[in-house]
Amino acid sequence: LRILNARGIKGLVLVGLMDTNHLPDALEPVWRKLPCVVTGVRTREPALSYCCVDHYNLSLNAFERSLALGYRRPGLVLDDVIDALVERRFSAGYVTGQRTLPRAQQIPVFGDVTGPARAEMFKAWLARHRPDVIFTLYNSVLGWLKAAGLRIPDDIAVIQLEWRSSRPDIAGMNQHNLVTGEAAVD
């Protein structure tokens, strides 16, 4: 706090809370004294103002667009830890979209993305549920699909829930993170 005051800093934008939605207690004097805005993940302790992409709308929009393109069995591959950090907004948008489909076309979320044997678990999920399009955040899913003998987009489509310019060959949703950052600064 002394350093911030000495440098004339009047407020903070907190970025990159990807492991937790709690700030350390030692920083309490900072958030009590200065206005703070969090981006990406809403904090609960303390509950600070935040600016974030609407993960619910992003996921629902991806779902609705995939149906409009003719896909009938969308699947979501998303680490449960990440979904929990964003208060299950990704999966909530996905499940809301699924409610428009007949029960036989609804596919459970594959939420166990990290750790050993995940590729084999994914392959079993893929064989059991037979999605024709997958929504995901992870490049590892692309490798898993290739290992399963599937070609993108010929055999199965992939829509990244965070489009990356480094992967222009993969469809994706633009989260407009730069605009979100600008709004946080405002």
Side-chain angles (χ1 to χ4, degrees):
L1 187 56
R2 285 192 325 260
I3 293 169
L4 296 172
N5 286 331
R7 293 187 177 161
I9 294 172
K10 305 280 188 225
L12 298 174
V13 176
L14 305 173
V15 181
L17 299 172
M18 290 306 295
D19 295 326
T20 181
N21 55 4
H22 300 278
L23 293 175
D25 292 338
L27 295 178
E28 183 175 358
V30 174
W31 75 70
R32 293 256 182 241
K33 176 83 173 160
L34 299 175
C36 297
V37 176
V38 178
T39 64
V41 175
R42 181 191 336 234
T43 58
R44 290 178 176 244
E45 293 179 22
L48 297 174
S49 296
Y50 87 113
C51 187
C52 178
V53 171
D54 186 345
H55 299 104
Y56 172 87
N57 188 56
L58 184 88
S59 184
L60 180 58
N61 194 356
F63 196 98
E64 291 171 342
R65 286 184 181 198
S66 70
L67 293 182
L69 290 170
Y71 296 103
R72 295 291 167 247
R73 296 186 57 77
L76 175 62
V77 177
L78 179 71
D79 191 314
D80 190 58
V81 171
I82 296 298
D83 199 30
L85 277 173
V86 297
E87 297 170 321
R88 307 225 178 270
R89 286 183 173 86
F90 279 121
S91 60
Y94 173 73
V95 169
T96 298
Q98 283 203 76
R99 294 181 71 183
T100 65
L101 298 176
R103 201 158 187 69
Q105 288 173 238
Q106 296 179 17
I107 298 175
V109 175
F110 181 81
D112 206 359
V113 176
T114 58
R118 297 310 180 237
E120 289 304 314
M121 292 170 63
F122 172 77
K123 193 173 178 180
W125 174 85
L126 192 65
R128 180 173 183 195
H129 299 291
R130 299 174 285 106
D132 57 0
V133 60
I134 291 178
F135 312 129
T136 190
L137 291 168
Y138 312 105
N139 286 328
S140 58
V141 173
L142 307 175
W144 295 347
L145 291 168
K146 185 177 180 181
L150 297 171
R151 296 168 299 150
I152 302 165
D154 300 325
D155 301 321
I156 190 166
V158 174
I159 298 175
Q160 294 232 342
L161 293 174
E162 183 173 2
W163 182 78
R164 294 176 178 92
S165 60
S166 62
R167 293 302 313 243
D169 55 324
I170 303 297
M173 303 298 289
N174 189 342
Q175 291 193 16
H176 299 284
N177 289 322
L178 294 176
V179 176
T180 302
E182 290 171 0
V185 170
D186 284 348

